[in-house]
Amino acid sequence: FCAVANGSDIGDGAVIGGMSGVQGTIPAGKIMVGNPLRERSEFYRIQASMTSLPEILKFWKRARKENSK
């Protein structure tokens, strides 16, 4: 299942991942996933970086606390 807005244009050979939301034009041959819709490589890069966010947040909180002394 994916949602496609009225007036959207999906190019020949384009692939849309499940649970994605399409608005606008998707060029031919592109593989797009997510909501908001992104190219597959960017989507997976973002998903992979999310696992690091808790550690990054701890680092910045610790650094902020040390710099406020």
Side-chain angles (χ1 to χ4, degrees), residues 25-50:
T25 301
I26 307 303
K30 291 287 185 180
I31 300 174
M32 308 291 283
V33 295
N35 193 0
L37 200 61
R38 300 179 189 277
E39 286 193 42
R40 179 179 59 176
S41 59
E42 181 183 8
F43 176 82
Y44 287 127
R45 191 170 44 253
I46 291 168
Q47 293 300 311
S49 68
M50 285 187 181

Side-chain angles (χ1 to χ4, degrees), residues 2 7 9-14 18 20-22 28 30-31 33 35 37-38 42-43 46 50 52 54-55 61 66 69:
C2 69
D9 182 32
I10 301 174
D12 291 340
S20 297
V22 178
K30 291 287 185 180
I31 300 174
V33 295
N35 193 0
L37 200 61
R38 300 179 189 277
E42 181 183 8
F43 176 82
I46 291 168
M50 285 187 181
S52 302
E55 288 301 315
K61 283 183 176 181
E66 289 174 7
K69 292 181 182 179

